Amino acid sequence: MRLTRTLLPVMKESPADAQIISHKLMLRAGLVRQTAAGIYAWLPLGLRVLRNIERIVREEQDRAGAIELLMPTLQSADLWRESGRYDAYGPEMLRIRDRHEREMLFGPTNEEMVTAIFRDAARSYRDLPRILYHIQWKFRDEVRPRFGVMRGREFLMKDAYSFDMDEAGARHSYNRMFVAYLNTFARMGLRAIPMQADTGPIGGDLSHEFIVLAETGESEVFYHANWERPAALRHVDFDDVAGLRSIVSGYTADYAATDEKRDAAREAGAGDALRQSRGVEVGHIFYFGTKYSSAMGLKVQAKDGSEVVPQMGSYGIGVSRLVGAIIEASHDDAGIVWPDAVAPYAVGLVNMRADDAACATAADDLYARLRTAGVETLYDDRDERGGAKFATMDLIGLPWQMVVGPKGLAKGVVELKRRATGERHELAVDDAVARIAQA
Ligand code: ATP
Ligand code: MG
């Protein structure tokens, strides 16, 4: 993409109303624009990041055996009356009336809807187990929307729901999602620590929050120092019940955010390895048994002909919140440092001297070659000084910068800079293209 043809409203100064670094950088780098309190438009660059995150989440859900569908954002109040949550939910729910005075709502979550869909589709044990998920916008009328997309009112969530014949099956579904989450966040370059959590208003008895460490996070967390090691992707067989159980039990050390639990963690041997920090919740998983299936009359026939009320769980990931969380975890004084897997473009091509015909020709040629090689490239072809272009590139944080200037051209080389480390190398044009195409 040529920078002169896209919409990239970068800002030099931090907007006054942004308190945390990710919010400041998202506004400065032209990723989003607030259109109402806690509601954001995703500008072209931000949308590319959001889509990359969504793709990783989807691939890992699919790998774990979950099945994608798409449920609507608007739901009927009657559906929520079936579970008893319509009156219980409180002012976070945005309630709407249609022209026929029918009560509707903008979905804050989808337990009711997915239970109703499954109830109408599933007949017997042959239809289970299933994990259904979608990636859809939610609305929660948060008292204090803040920190940009981290606590928005409208936000994108992946929510999955599991249906099993018995508790052992439900625990296996829970473990599938647990391990899928470890892999999902690791692919984004994040260390997300699973913390045993309270089950809250959704209810149930088994729950973990996945927390990304960040000074500005809203939750206080205690964790084992081992978590500071880079996260590794696991190659797992998701159908292996015992294998998954042992992976999950290896992670259930309970270093959560209460004094009581901290003391327990000390006793459990974390000792000097105990660390305290703040963190951002990027995912939350629950096992809640038959709470919704019993309330909503979901029953299926077992092998022996008896009726069984399926066991359920729900599994959320804050897709739009992750954009902010990744920036909290990966930035420096100059701007964002995107992990390769979620970067909006792989490389930023900079023509240092827009007024130099030879440089412009060489940069145009490089742009064509990168595109032919299948490299996602943002080409800064603006009529601007080199310094301003470098500042923009550092701010928007593409993993590689390729710089074309008159001195290098005379030697037949371009400069390749790795954003994360600042390392620079001069490479022959062909080598530079090949190097990035391989990365
Ligand atoms: P929180 O404790 O942060 O309010 P929650 O526990 O209410 O979140 P869940 O119902 O568990 O949220 O939703 C699943 C995921 O959706 C959360 O882990 C979080 O990443 C994301 N999420 C929840 N609320 C918001 C919000 N207001 N803005 C952006 N993402 C959100
Ligand atoms: Mg939660």
Side-chain angles (χ1 to χ4, degrees), residues 347 349 365-375 377 402 433 436:
V347 58
L349 175 62
D365 177 55
L366 259 175
Y367 179 51
R369 288 212 220 177
L370 285 164
R371 294 207 321 174
T372 307
V375 178
T377 306
M402 192 183 277
V433 173
I436 292 189

Side-chain angles (χ1 to χ4, degrees), residues 101-262:
E101 292 294 316
R102 278 184 296 239
E103 292 170 282
M104 313 279 292
L105 57 102
F106 196 122
T109 180
N110 282 67
E111 281 81 5
E112 283 78 1
M113 188 176 283
V114 78
T115 303
I117 289 171
F118 198 71
R119 179 183 62 198
D120 295 343
R123 293 279 157 262
S124 78
Y125 65 92
R126 290 185 202 87
D127 300 313
L128 283 82
R130 289 289 186 279
I131 303 177
L132 303 176
Y133 78 97
H134 73 162
I135 300 176
Q136 178 62 291
W137 294 93
K138 305 289 186 289
F139 194 95
R140 294 182 187 174
D141 207 347
E142 302 271 357
V143 197
R144 278 219 297 159
R146 56 182 185 155
F147 302 157
V149 301
M150 295 274 240
R151 183 165 298 284
R153 293 199 297 165
E154 190 185 39
F155 59 96
L156 188 59
M157 195 203 286
K158 183 285 299 181
D159 37 325
Y161 304 89
S162 61
F163 300 88
D164 280 272
M165 292 299 284
D166 54 27
E167 185 181 327
R171 286 184 185 266
H172 181 59
S173 292
Y174 186 91
N175 292 346
R176 280 181 194 264
M177 288 294 113
F178 189 108
V179 176
Y181 278 32
L182 294 174
N183 283 346
T184 301
F185 299 127
R187 278 184 67 185
M188 296 171 193
L190 290 174
R191 275 158 305 182
I193 308 179
M195 302 268 179
Q196 193 120 49
D198 296 333
T199 46
I202 291 188
D205 73 345
L206 180 59
S207 175
H208 285 87
E209 290 176 355
F210 287 74
I211 308 278
V212 170
L213 300 179
E215 291 301 308
T216 48
E218 291 185 276
S219 333
E220 185 178 34
V221 293
F222 296 92
Y223 62 96
H224 194 284
N226 283 347
W227 281 105
E228 286 168 0
R229 285 189 311 219
L233 209 61
R234 284 160 200 79
H235 297 284
V236 291
D237 173 0
F238 281 95
D239 295 326
D240 176 0
V241 175
L244 279 196
R245 195 189 306 125
S246 87
I247 294 175
V248 172
S249 65
Y251 284 102
T252 40
D254 179 7
Y255 304 133
T258 64
D259 285 341
E260 191 188 312
K261 285 178 177 168
R262 178 180 47 182

Side-chain angles (χ1 to χ4, degrees), residues 215-338:
E215 291 301 308
T216 48
E218 291 185 276
S219 333
E220 185 178 34
V221 293
F222 296 92
Y223 62 96
H224 194 284
N226 283 347
W227 281 105
E228 286 168 0
R229 285 189 311 219
L233 209 61
R234 284 160 200 79
H235 297 284
V236 291
D237 173 0
F238 281 95
D239 295 326
D240 176 0
V241 175
L244 279 196
R245 195 189 306 125
S246 87
I247 294 175
V248 172
S249 65
Y251 284 102
T252 40
D254 179 7
Y255 304 133
T258 64
D259 285 341
E260 191 188 312
K261 285 178 177 168
R262 178 180 47 182
D263 293 342
R266 283 229 168 82
E267 274 165 32
D272 291 345
L274 192 67
R275 300 277 186 276
Q276 177 176 5
S277 177
R278 303 194 68 80
V280 178
E281 179 193 319
V282 290
H284 198 162
I285 60 180
F286 299 89
Y287 161 57
F288 47 71
T290 61
K291 182 177 156 103
Y292 297 93
S293 40
S294 346
M296 297 181 64
L298 163 61
K299 292 184 218 108
V300 295
Q301 201 172 60
K303 239 182 195 151
D304 65 5
S306 63
E307 270 189 344
V308 167
V309 178
Q311 299 276 329
M312 292 177 60
S314 79
Y315 315 90
I317 289 183
V319 175
S320 49
R321 176 179 287 184
L322 271 165
V323 180
I326 291 169
I327 296 173
E328 288 294 327
S330 187
H331 66 270
D332 62 18
D333 291 344
I336 301 168
V337 182
W338 290 118

Side-chain angles (χ1 to χ4, degrees), residues 392-413:
T392 298
M393 279 302 166
D394 281 353
L395 173 64
I396 67 175
L398 308 181
W400 297 96
Q401 296 171 15
M402 192 183 277
V403 182
V404 181
K407 280 190 200 138
L409 270 193
K411 293 188 281 180
V413 300

